[in-house]
Amino acid sequence: MIDPGDDIEDVLAIVRQHGLTVKQIVITHAHIDHVGGAMKLKRATGAPILLNQNDYALLKMLDIQATWIGMPSPGKVDVDNSIGNGDSVTIGNLTADVLHTPGHTEGSICLYFAPQKKLIAGDTLFAGSIGRTDLPGGSYEKIMASLHGPVLALPDETIVVPGHGPLTTIGEERASNPFLVG
Ligand SMILES: [Zn+2]
């Protein structure tokens, strides 16, 4: 499961309906709308939580993040392992390479499924936009370095699954994303 922000009852209903087993909970970055439901899902499934260590400080700010968006704090989240560059995440016959892509947050990661040419982009890259960098831990210079580094190094036909909004491709964003062209 990637980025269980909330609505864990709904998530678990889908898991049961399809007879699935949650093996790992991978967090692309420690913003509350991506990690807020992780502990509840971990308690329900026993699956470990994986998050890049550079976002541990942000994870300690979940109470403050909750006040930003006017929701109750989800409480403390216990991470089991840090994941970063050089790591991979394997589920069944699927393997994703972990790309550390700081900028939206210090510990932001993307997951690249090379055989499927699919990128789970967290809040680093959106269709026609990029992640905001004005929150604590954000850096415009770093997100641009991440985008022009490991992200745009991927093949044009890579399907991008952003943390919010519609799907896109690396080629589409390379050609027309206003933050990346010119
Ligand atoms: Zn975010």
Side-chain angles (χ1 to χ4, degrees), residues 28-34 65 104-105 108 122-124 126 131-132 135 164:
T28 62
H29 65 291
H31 279 156
I32 192 168
D33 56 329
H34 294 257
Q65 292 189 45
H104 178 62
T105 68
S108 283
D123 285 359
T124 296
F126 302 118
R132 61 188 291 184
L135 295 171
H164 305 273

mmCIF file of all heavy atoms in Angstrom, residues 28-34 65 104-105 108 122-124 126 131-132 135 164, ligand 1:
data_model
loop_
_atom_site.group_PDB
_atom_site.id
_atom_site.type_symbol
_atom_site.label_atom_id
_atom_site.label_comp_id
_atom_site.label_asym_id
_atom_site.label_seq_id
_atom_site.Cartn_x
_atom_site.Cartn_y
_atom_site.Cartn_z
ATOM 1 N N THR A 28 5.557 7.976 0.406
ATOM 2 C CA THR A 28 6.411 8.780 -0.482
ATOM 3 C C THR A 28 6.961 10.018 0.222
ATOM 4 O O THR A 28 8.016 10.526 -0.173
ATOM 5 C CB THR A 28 5.670 9.239 -1.750
ATOM 6 O OG1 THR A 28 4.557 10.076 -1.366
ATOM 7 C CG2 THR A 28 5.177 8.050 -2.563
ATOM 8 N N HIS A 29 6.241 10.524 1.233
ATOM 9 C CA HIS A 29 6.748 11.638 2.040
ATOM 10 C C HIS A 29 5.801 11.846 3.215
ATOM 11 O O HIS A 29 4.653 11.410 3.176
ATOM 12 C CB HIS A 29 6.906 12.918 1.219
ATOM 13 C CG HIS A 29 5.615 13.484 0.690
ATOM 14 N ND1 HIS A 29 4.876 12.863 -0.296
ATOM 15 C CD2 HIS A 29 4.921 14.595 1.012
ATOM 16 C CE1 HIS A 29 3.803 13.586 -0.557
ATOM 17 N NE2 HIS A 29 3.794 14.638 0.232
ATOM 18 N N ALA A 30 6.304 12.543 4.237
ATOM 19 C CA ALA A 30 5.611 12.564 5.530
ATOM 20 C C ALA A 30 4.581 13.689 5.664
ATOM 21 O O ALA A 30 4.444 14.271 6.740
ATOM 22 C CB ALA A 30 6.626 12.614 6.668
ATOM 23 N N HIS A 31 3.879 14.014 4.601
ATOM 24 C CA HIS A 31 2.746 14.929 4.749
ATOM 25 C C HIS A 31 1.518 14.140 5.191
ATOM 26 O O HIS A 31 1.316 12.991 4.789
ATOM 27 C CB HIS A 31 2.468 15.682 3.441
ATOM 28 C CG HIS A 31 3.377 16.854 3.250
ATOM 29 N ND1 HIS A 31 3.666 17.383 2.021
ATOM 30 C CD2 HIS A 31 4.082 17.586 4.164
ATOM 31 C CE1 HIS A 31 4.503 18.403 2.173
ATOM 32 N NE2 HIS A 31 4.764 18.542 3.471
ATOM 33 N N ILE A 32 0.690 14.791 5.984
ATOM 34 C CA ILE A 32 -0.402 14.102 6.663
ATOM 35 C C ILE A 32 -1.373 13.438 5.686
ATOM 36 O O ILE A 32 -1.921 12.369 5.983
ATOM 37 C CB ILE A 32 -1.126 15.093 7.611
ATOM 38 C CG1 ILE A 32 -2.078 14.351 8.547
ATOM 39 C CG2 ILE A 32 -1.820 16.201 6.823
ATOM 40 C CD1 ILE A 32 -2.592 15.197 9.691
ATOM 41 N N ASP A 33 -1.548 14.036 4.496
ATOM 42 C CA ASP A 33 -2.493 13.440 3.542
ATOM 43 C C ASP A 33 -1.904 12.220 2.833
ATOM 44 O O ASP A 33 -2.591 11.565 2.048
ATOM 45 C CB ASP A 33 -2.996 14.486 2.525
ATOM 46 C CG ASP A 33 -1.875 15.177 1.776
ATOM 47 O OD1 ASP A 33 -0.775 15.334 2.342
ATOM 48 O OD2 ASP A 33 -2.101 15.563 0.621
ATOM 49 N N HIS A 34 -0.639 11.898 3.132
ATOM 50 C CA HIS A 34 -0.007 10.691 2.570
ATOM 51 C C HIS A 34 0.300 9.643 3.638
ATOM 52 O O HIS A 34 0.435 8.469 3.320
ATOM 53 C CB HIS A 34 1.271 11.064 1.821
ATOM 54 C CG HIS A 34 1.009 11.893 0.601
ATOM 55 N ND1 HIS A 34 1.051 11.393 -0.680
ATOM 56 C CD2 HIS A 34 0.653 13.193 0.474
ATOM 57 C CE1 HIS A 34 0.743 12.351 -1.535
ATOM 58 N NE2 HIS A 34 0.504 13.456 -0.864
ATOM 59 N N GLN A 65 0.837 19.674 11.347
ATOM 60 C CA GLN A 65 0.257 19.507 10.003
ATOM 61 C C GLN A 65 -1.260 19.371 10.075
ATOM 62 O O GLN A 65 -1.981 19.876 9.209
ATOM 63 C CB GLN A 65 0.826 18.267 9.326
ATOM 64 C CG GLN A 65 2.300 18.357 8.957
ATOM 65 C CD GLN A 65 2.709 17.165 8.108
ATOM 66 O OE1 GLN A 65 2.007 16.783 7.172
ATOM 67 N NE2 GLN A 65 3.835 16.565 8.426
ATOM 68 N N HIS A 104 10.059 18.701 -2.516
ATOM 69 C CA HIS A 104 8.739 18.910 -1.902
ATOM 70 C C HIS A 104 8.884 18.741 -0.389
ATOM 71 O O HIS A 104 8.356 19.526 0.387
ATOM 72 C CB HIS A 104 7.739 17.921 -2.489
ATOM 73 C CG HIS A 104 6.363 18.013 -1.897
ATOM 74 N ND1 HIS A 104 5.584 19.143 -1.984
ATOM 75 C CD2 HIS A 104 5.641 17.101 -1.192
ATOM 76 C CE1 HIS A 104 4.431 18.922 -1.363
ATOM 77 N NE2 HIS A 104 4.445 17.706 -0.861
ATOM 78 N N THR A 105 9.616 17.686 0.006
ATOM 79 C CA THR A 105 10.109 17.525 1.377
ATOM 80 C C THR A 105 11.517 16.953 1.268
ATOM 81 O O THR A 105 11.909 16.459 0.207
ATOM 82 C CB THR A 105 9.245 16.552 2.213
ATOM 83 O OG1 THR A 105 9.400 15.228 1.692
ATOM 84 C CG2 THR A 105 7.767 16.946 2.201
ATOM 85 N N SER A 108 11.348 13.102 0.364
ATOM 86 C CA SER A 108 10.448 12.627 -0.696
ATOM 87 C C SER A 108 11.126 11.558 -1.538
ATOM 88 O O SER A 108 12.297 11.676 -1.896
ATOM 89 C CB SER A 108 10.035 13.791 -1.609
ATOM 90 O OG SER A 108 9.056 14.599 -0.995
ATOM 91 N N GLY A 122 4.599 10.493 -5.903
ATOM 92 C CA GLY A 122 4.322 11.264 -4.692
ATOM 93 C C GLY A 122 3.868 12.666 -5.074
ATOM 94 O O GLY A 122 3.112 12.838 -6.039
ATOM 95 N N ASP A 123 4.362 13.664 -4.347
ATOM 96 C CA ASP A 123 4.019 15.053 -4.685
ATOM 97 C C ASP A 123 5.189 15.764 -5.348
ATOM 98 O O ASP A 123 5.319 16.985 -5.262
ATOM 99 C CB ASP A 123 3.588 15.821 -3.432
ATOM 100 C CG ASP A 123 2.187 15.450 -2.973
ATOM 101 O OD1 ASP A 123 1.539 14.615 -3.636
ATOM 102 O OD2 ASP A 123 1.741 16.004 -1.945
ATOM 103 N N THR A 124 6.057 15.016 -6.022
ATOM 104 C CA THR A 124 7.193 15.641 -6.703
ATOM 105 C C THR A 124 6.799 16.164 -8.080
ATOM 106 O O THR A 124 7.159 17.275 -8.458
ATOM 107 C CB THR A 124 8.364 14.632 -6.806
ATOM 108 O OG1 THR A 124 8.808 14.324 -5.480
ATOM 109 C CG2 THR A 124 9.529 15.199 -7.605
ATOM 110 N N PHE A 126 3.460 16.526 -10.938
ATOM 111 C CA PHE A 126 2.041 16.406 -11.290
ATOM 112 C C PHE A 126 1.870 16.673 -12.782
ATOM 113 O O PHE A 126 2.759 17.235 -13.423
ATOM 114 C CB PHE A 126 1.198 17.437 -10.520
ATOM 115 C CG PHE A 126 1.307 17.345 -9.032
ATOM 116 C CD1 PHE A 126 1.817 18.404 -8.296
ATOM 117 C CD2 PHE A 126 0.909 16.201 -8.351
ATOM 118 C CE1 PHE A 126 1.911 18.330 -6.912
ATOM 119 C CE2 PHE A 126 0.995 16.120 -6.973
ATOM 120 C CZ PHE A 126 1.501 17.188 -6.248
ATOM 121 N N GLY A 131 5.442 19.739 -7.206
ATOM 122 C CA GLY A 131 5.079 19.847 -5.796
ATOM 123 C C GLY A 131 5.427 21.216 -5.229
ATOM 124 O O GLY A 131 6.427 21.831 -5.623
ATOM 125 N N ARG A 132 4.623 21.688 -4.303
ATOM 126 C CA ARG A 132 4.912 22.976 -3.666
ATOM 127 C C ARG A 132 6.157 22.834 -2.789
ATOM 128 O O ARG A 132 6.458 21.767 -2.262
ATOM 129 C CB ARG A 132 3.704 23.468 -2.860
ATOM 130 C CG ARG A 132 3.288 22.537 -1.746
ATOM 131 C CD ARG A 132 1.971 22.977 -1.093
ATOM 132 N NE ARG A 132 2.118 24.213 -0.343
ATOM 133 C CZ ARG A 132 1.129 24.763 0.372
ATOM 134 N NH1 ARG A 132 -0.079 24.175 0.410
ATOM 135 N NH2 ARG A 132 1.313 25.880 1.041
ATOM 136 N N LEU A 135 6.430 24.742 2.106
ATOM 137 C CA LEU A 135 6.172 24.197 3.438
ATOM 138 C C LEU A 135 7.512 23.824 4.086
ATOM 139 O O LEU A 135 8.524 23.738 3.399
ATOM 140 C CB LEU A 135 5.256 22.971 3.329
ATOM 141 C CG LEU A 135 3.836 23.271 2.809
ATOM 142 C CD1 LEU A 135 3.087 21.981 2.521
ATOM 143 C CD2 LEU A 135 3.065 24.135 3.798
ATOM 144 N N HIS A 164 -1.541 13.407 -6.502
ATOM 145 C CA HIS A 164 -2.843 14.078 -6.659
ATOM 146 C C HIS A 164 -3.070 14.305 -8.151
ATOM 147 O O HIS A 164 -2.133 14.569 -8.887
ATOM 148 C CB HIS A 164 -2.864 15.439 -5.938
ATOM 149 C CG HIS A 164 -2.492 15.363 -4.493
ATOM 150 N ND1 HIS A 164 -3.407 15.106 -3.493
ATOM 151 C CD2 HIS A 164 -1.291 15.481 -3.873
ATOM 152 C CE1 HIS A 164 -2.775 15.082 -2.324
ATOM 153 N NE2 HIS A 164 -1.494 15.310 -2.526
HETATM 154 ZN ZN ZN B 1 2.847 16.602 0.096
#
